[in-house]
Amino acid sequence: MSNPGPDWYLVGPTDALDEEDVMPYDRDGHEYAIYHTINGFFASDGMCTHEEEPLADGIVIDNVIECPLHQGRFDVRSGKALSAPVCVDLKTFAVQIHDENIYIRIPQ
Ligand code: FES
């Protein structure tokens, strides 16, 4: 199977992203963050909700992304803001794996 359907976009091969790592994905001028956690692959908006810092520069710990600027934390599975100074949740996006490739769903 190739592309899983409308609104799904190829990010890249699964082996391009180690477990407990994060990478940026740009589409139409918008940055997303793609995570590989102990529970699989997840995706969110790429910028921290505190001060627009790229989360792809942060650290993945279990299912949490820690922002590199002020160490605010989000659960990447739900986008929930977990610790100060972040208080606004992250927007998350569905992810599927097909043929060892990562796809993100970005509704139009
Ligand atoms: Fe992310 Fe401040 S910019 S915690």
Side-chain angles (χ1 to χ4, degrees), residues 56-92:
D57 294 336
I59 301 170
V60 175
I61 307 160
D62 295 332
N63 290 299
V64 171
I65 179 69
E66 182 179 278
C67 177
L69 194 54
H70 307 113
Q71 290 72 55
R73 292 183 171 197
F74 303 90
D75 187 320
V76 303
R77 299 168 296 180
S78 62
K80 185 163 181 46
L82 298 176
S83 64
V86 296
C87 53
V88 176
D89 294 348
L90 267 180
K91 185 172 183 188
T92 57

